[in-house]
Amino acid sequence: MSAHYPALLVIIPLLASFFISAAGWLRPPWCFPLALTAMGGSLLVSIGLLADVIRGIPDLYWFGGWAPPWGIYYRVDHLNALVLVVISGVGFVNLWAARPTVDRELPEKAGAFYTLYVLFVTGLLGMVVTGDAFNLYVLLEIAAITGYALIALGKGRAPLASLNYIFMGTIGACFYLLGVGYLYIVTGSLNMQDIARLLAPLHGSRVVTVAFVIMMVGVWLKMGFFPLHAWLPNAYTYAPSPVSSLVAPLMTKVMVYVMIRMVMTVFTVDYAFGVLVLNEAVVWLAVIAIVAGSLMALAEKDFKRMLTFIVVAEVGYMVGGFWLGNRSGFTGSVLHIVNDALMTLCLFLAAGSIIHARGESRIQSLQGLFSTMPWTMGALVVGAMSIIGVPPTCGFFSKWYLLLGAVEGGHYGFLAALLFSSLVNVVLFFRIFEIGYFEPMEASHGGASHGHAHGHEAPAMSEAPLGMLVPLWMTALGLIAVGFYTGEIVGRVIRHAIPATMF
Amino acid sequence: MKILGLIIVVLVGAVLEYATIDFPPLGDPASPASTHVSPRYIEKSIEETAVPNVVTSVLADYRGFDTMFETTVIFSAGVACFLLLRVPPSRRPQRASERQYRHRLTGLTFRIKGGAEVSLPLHEFERVDSIWTPYDFIIEKVCRYLIPFIQLFGLYVIAHGHHSPGGGFQGGVILGASIILLSVSHNLRIALKRMGERTSALFSPVGVFIYAGTGALCLILGYNFLDYQALAALLPGGPIMARSHGIFIVEVGVGMAVMGTMVWIFKNLASLGRYDEGL
Amino acid sequence: MMIWQLDLLILMLVVICGIGALMIRDLLGAAILFGAYSFMMCLLWAIMGAVDVAFTEASVGAGVSTVFFIAAVYHTTRRTKD
Amino acid sequence: MEDILRQIIEKDNYWIYITLMMVGLYAIIAKNNLVKKIVGMNIFQTAVILFYVSIGVKKGATIPIIEHVHDTAHTAIHAVDYINPLPHVLMLTAIVVSVATLGVALAIAITVYRRYQTLEEDEILKQIREP
């Protein structure tokens, strides 16, 4: 049975999404359980795949029984097995937290919401595991279209933000498709490893250079890398909270993975770092991304919007880490994909439960949160520690590898940017803790919590529903657990993913 | 903003033009694209899948996995339009603010404001859209007689995808366009009587499920996903004919999915999700 | 690519319909011109030998997407400033 | 003059897809009306499709449908006289994706109109800045 794992990984959620859509019309109460089995099934299959990869069983799957350059094939190696587990894990945990909000805001359309949710995760899983360049474009479009629709569900400026996301996302996807077309016209094949084999003699030609540049611009546009990030803050802020806590942790990280896969497998490392002398410039771009992201986060008055600018800065970490070109930089970047997905999920889930209870997310309105919502704020503290990079949590270890890579690569600008952004994160989150802890809730501030007349008595606890707290605390504990297992993850998985030629 | 746009456009155009210098000349038979992978498709298509139209055999068999996700893209667009636009019946104002009726024989139209309940002998009156389009005998009658033949042509396109250009997508779109023509020529309510929202909303998942289900069936029968040889156990003819039948089943699934989705998107777009007065 | 004058005519018509669809001030006109642009693209592909793609573009491009545009413009405005 | 024109049309007409793509990109960036941007986005996608189809063109080759008579001996089919079918398959996917994106973009444009009563980007931003 395990030979079919790569196929099952994508087919279970795909078939489930058809049943959910039909159940939305025939048996509405079945929608959530079906979505849960879909996410649970793909999580189990991805853990099985990771186990296979660690045991050294290479997973190759030929679709339709055709050999690779003619048919499409899935290839699971050390790099994408890890990302698969993270995606299905985040999808599964976030589904629990999505239920209260969906039941409250879209009771009749829950079937459609869960269908798009499961299709979004299917698109991401397929993108990570595919070995065919054009198949990656089709799955990119599935994840994109479901993302546009889910983001446009929000209130206020959400439709306009989603429309801008559509324009930028389509330009990015079309640039990626054009890059695949330029490679196809010169090599004649669409299979990633086949292209790499045929590209070897052509490394000097203009077409390959332009294909590389277009693909990178397309992928950077989709991941919100600094100069091309204009769509990201509005899209993730105005989206409904279960959607932003699904899209923010996953979409940008998977696009970073696609960039790494393209550079490592299709263009091969010695072309990207040897022939092209771009990596210095890209690391400086990443430095600008980190600094600008952190400064813009400082200037924000809205809590959720501040988190989106932290996501922009984190994208700068991963891109800069990879383009340093040394082993610890690569390890830090891949480890940061895993850690940052968990950290961003924890922060956005906390923001979601605050908005669920308080109704608004302006920083000024977060007074007295420690007394009214102690559990949520507890998890937020763990998430903040991880973003800042405090040892027990996983954020510290990936930042440690990035710093190591910066020192080894002799890139002190990147080093300074990492330290600067960590300090800014400290300021950001302690500002919120200060408002949340020290400023008492004014009696006049009605809101969800019914403050008593004489303010000094602690206002009653108006915690987010249990359905949102359990996943939040699972993620927070997951942050600490992943922190402890970093040695395992790096030693058994990431170390094998590093290409031999990387010095 | 316009100058920034111009600069970006000229820059990107220059980069793209710079690359075309190294392209193989247009239409050259020895270019890598037409010598590396595609000769096998052309030469082996009849041998392996007994389908003369090479595009259909590559679409549904060699690269069938792509097409399954492509049908999922269409399906997700249909669900997305429903999610964004559909106004659930419970939230709509109870009575439509203003309704128009036309007397069939004399052609007089009555506008009833304030949603008052009026008892009209309905066989003599017919409801008309608020933005009233003049009743046109020619359009209604021609479309009424034309639509069945368009649908027949759509089914032909799906069925004949093996031998002539066409297949699931084109046939599905033509079938969807026939329902859209019905809604545009008459009014949305007549189109809804012909194909209700529930039918079109169930057509698209069932269509894509036929595609993915055939693939899963091959998985259950022991072969790889979407390997139609496995269907030889169920269908007459050897493994090659099984592939041809597999491609046909998949094309029917795609046709159903695309038809259901096109009609579903049109209904949501044309009536802003209220399903009473549309284009 | 048989008669090159015919190709030149269709190429010019494609570019003219494309730019026309963007320059025209009335959105309904833009939708119609976009339908014409799709039909010209379908002719171009039929000449290039891509019959399946031409068939799809004719039915999907000229057929359905023009109706979607008109349905959208029907519910919004035809007026544009630029 | 004539052979120059012929050379431009026959030999390398890649300039056509670059012009269309730049028209589409300019429209997305510079146009003020949202529906005009959607038209520009669609032109941008059709330009990429045109590039892929022009890869598959083969001089002196017929359409990729093999007319074969069932009973005659299996005459050898050589790939030179049939057009490359692979770009056509890829572009069926791209056309379907462009229609799906068009449907979702128009649905969102309608919700934007219902909320702000205008499709002009500057008027919408003015409404957002002073509520």
Side-chain angles (χ1 to χ4, degrees), chain A residues 85-374:
Chain A
V85 175
V86 168
I87 294 173
S88 34
V90 166
F92 183 72
V93 164
N94 189 45
L95 193 62
W96 284 96
R99 186 165 194 183
T101 325
V102 169
D103 288 351
R104 192 169 62 148
E105 279 165 20
L106 312 147
E108 298 89 0
K109 299 187 201 168
F113 181 87
Y114 289 127
T115 313
L116 290 187
Y117 185 101
V118 169
L119 279 177
F120 180 80
V121 177
T122 318
L124 291 181
L125 288 174
M127 251 158 74
V128 165
V129 88
T130 185
D132 186 275
F134 187 79
N135 195 19
L136 196 141
Y137 166 75
V138 179
L139 292 153
L140 177 73
E141 280 300 327
I142 290 181
I145 287 183
T146 41
Y148 305 146
L150 288 172
I151 286 173
L153 275 176
K155 290 185 268 301
R157 283 181 56 177
L160 187 69
S162 175
L163 204 54
N164 285 331
Y165 183 21
I166 286 181
F167 294 138
M168 304 281 270
T170 310
I171 294 176
C174 279
F175 271 164
Y176 172 80
L177 184 62
L178 203 61
V180 171
Y182 272 32
L183 292 180
Y184 175 67
I185 199 168
V186 168
T187 57
S189 138
L190 288 169
N191 183 290
M192 287 190 193
Q193 288 196 324
D194 208 22
I195 294 177
R197 181 174 59 82
L198 291 163
L199 265 187
L202 296 165
H203 276 173
S205 94
R206 297 183 183 84
V207 181
V208 178
T209 329
V210 171
F212 185 83
V213 166
I214 296 177
M215 257 192 195
M216 283 305 127
V217 168
V219 167
W220 287 342
L221 203 83
K222 289 291 280 186
M223 75 172 75
F225 188 50
F226 174 68
L228 311 164
H229 73 294
W231 54 271
L232 192 136
N234 288 343
Y236 290 172
T237 313
Y238 298 105
S241 37
V243 170
S244 55
S245 65
L246 167 74
V247 178
L250 292 181
M251 196 63 188
T252 46
K253 302 350 167 229
V254 169
M255 290 320 290
V256 170
Y257 161 80
V258 166
M259 178 185 80
I260 292 175
R261 169 64 68 197
M262 275 297 143
V263 170
M264 250 179 51
T265 317
V266 175
F267 290 101
T268 66
V269 170
D270 48 23
Y271 173 77
F273 293 100
V275 173
L276 288 177
V277 198
L278 278 180
N279 51 357
E280 275 303 312
V282 175
V283 176
W284 281 110
L285 262 176
V287 165
I288 300 166
I290 297 169
V291 168
S294 311
L295 289 180
M296 281 194 259
L298 261 176
E300 268 315 312
K301 293 195 181 39
D302 182 289
F303 175 60
K304 203 171 167 190
R305 203 170 156 74
M306 177 190 90
L307 295 182
T308 56
F309 282 112
I310 291 179
V311 168
V312 172
E314 300 288 326
V315 166
Y317 283 22
M318 291 181 264
V319 173
F322 174 71
W323 283 95
L324 284 173
N326 47 36
R327 298 179 74 88
S328 34
F330 180 90
T331 321
S333 176
V334 173
L335 192 63
H336 203 68
I337 291 180
V338 177
N339 299 344
D340 193 47
L342 291 177
M343 292 191 278
T344 320
L345 174 69
C346 180
L347 291 175
F348 273 91
L349 279 177
S353 44
I354 291 171
I355 292 170
H356 187 82
R358 279 292 171 84
E360 55 170 333
S361 67
R362 272 192 359 277
I363 291 179
Q364 291 315 325
S365 75
L366 303 181
Q367 280 105 3
L369 262 183
F370 273 90
S371 41
T372 52
M373 301 172 76

Side-chain angles (χ1 to χ4, degrees), chain B residues 36-267:
Chain B
H36 179 48
V37 167
S38 67
R40 181 225 166 111
Y41 292 141
I42 296 173
E43 278 143 15
K44 292 270 187 2
S45 161
I46 296 245
E47 244 174 79
E48 285 175 344
T49 57
V51 170
N53 184 355
V54 183
V55 174
T56 312
S57 82
V58 173
L59 182 81
D61 191 358
Y62 291 105
R63 294 187 66 90
F65 198 61
D66 258 354
T67 317
M68 181 171 80
F69 281 115
E70 182 190 321
T71 327
T72 317
V73 163
I74 273 281
F75 165 62
S76 68
V79 173
C81 285
F82 167 77
L83 191 64
L84 290 171
L85 289 175
R86 184 70 166 103
V87 178
S90 58
R91 292 220 188 123
R92 243 178 316 149
Q94 278 322 321
R95 294 297 303 150
S97 57
E98 178 195 284
R99 300 166 80 107
Q100 286 210 17
Y101 290 93
R102 180 200 305 113
H103 188 234
R104 278 187 212 282
L105 307 175
T106 60
L108 290 171
T109 54
F110 302 90
R111 178 186 307 228
I112 294 155
K113 284 202 168 53
E117 197 46 54
V118 177
S119 60
L120 288 172
L122 273 182
H123 61 277
E124 283 171 17
F125 289 86
E126 60 176 354
R127 186 156 168 232
V128 177
D129 287 350
S130 54
I131 302 174
W132 178 62
T133 46
Y135 174 75
D136 195 328
F137 177 82
I138 296 169
I139 291 179
E140 281 208 8
K141 287 298 176 268
V142 166
C143 290
R144 182 191 296 269
Y145 297 126
L146 204 59
I147 284 170
F149 294 102
I150 295 176
Q151 286 173 341
L152 202 62
F153 176 66
L155 292 175
Y156 161 77
V157 165
I158 293 179
H160 213 257
H162 286 239
H163 300 281
S164 70
F169 289 107
Q170 297 87 343
V173 167
I174 290 170
L175 287 171
S178 66
I179 306 285
I180 292 172
L181 175 63
L182 182 69
S183 161
V184 167
S185 63
H186 298 70
N187 51 43
L188 190 62
R189 286 175 299 287
I190 291 180
L192 277 174
K193 263 205 286 298
R194 280 293 170 277
M195 188 173 188
E197 184 194 11
R198 175 190 282 265
T199 358
S200 58
L202 285 177
F203 249 56
S204 41
V206 165
V208 194
F209 178 71
I210 289 175
Y211 196 122
T214 325
L217 187 65
C218 304
L219 196 72
I220 294 161
L221 293 172
Y223 286 75
N224 272 359
F225 187 74
L226 277 181
D227 190 348
Y228 302 122
Q229 282 171 8
L231 302 179
L234 311 170
L235 298 171
I240 297 172
M241 278 319 287
R243 279 195 184 282
S244 174
H245 296 317
I247 290 177
F248 178 65
I249 296 166
V250 154
E251 291 286 338
V252 167
V254 167
M256 273 177 74
V258 171
M259 170 185 175
T261 315
M262 287 297 164
V263 173
W264 200 12
I265 293 179
F266 173 77
K267 281 185 203 151

Side-chain angles (χ1 to χ4, degrees), chain B residues 166 170 173 262 266 269-270 279, chain C residues 52 55-56 60 64 67 74-75:
Chain B
Q170 297 87 343
V173 167
M262 287 297 164
F266 173 77
L269 276 181
L279 192 59
Chain C
D52 269 82
F55 197 161
T56 317
V60 163
V64 176
V67 175
Y74 179 75
H75 282 295

Side-chain angles (χ1 to χ4, degrees), chain A residues 134 137-138 141 145 152 154-157 159-160 162-163 166-167 170-171 174 177 180-182 184-185 190, chain D residues 14 17 21 25 34 37 41 44-45 48 51-52 55 84 86 90 93 97 100 105 108 112 115-116 121 124 128:
Chain A
F134 187 79
Y137 166 75
V138 179
E141 280 300 327
I145 287 183
K155 290 185 268 301
R157 283 181 56 177
L160 187 69
S162 175
L163 204 54
I166 286 181
F167 294 138
T170 310
I171 294 176
C174 279
L177 184 62
V180 171
Y182 272 32
Y184 175 67
I185 199 168
L190 288 169
Chain D
Y14 293 112
Y17 96 84
M21 185 174 273
L25 193 62
L34 293 178
K37 285 178 182 250
M41 177 180 79
F44 188 74
Q45 286 170 329
V48 176
F51 165 67
Y52 264 79
I55 298 175
N84 176 7
L86 192 54
L90 308 180
T93 312
V97 161
I108 294 175
V112 164
R115 203 156 291 182
Y116 297 106
E121 189 114 34
I124 296 172
I128 289 168

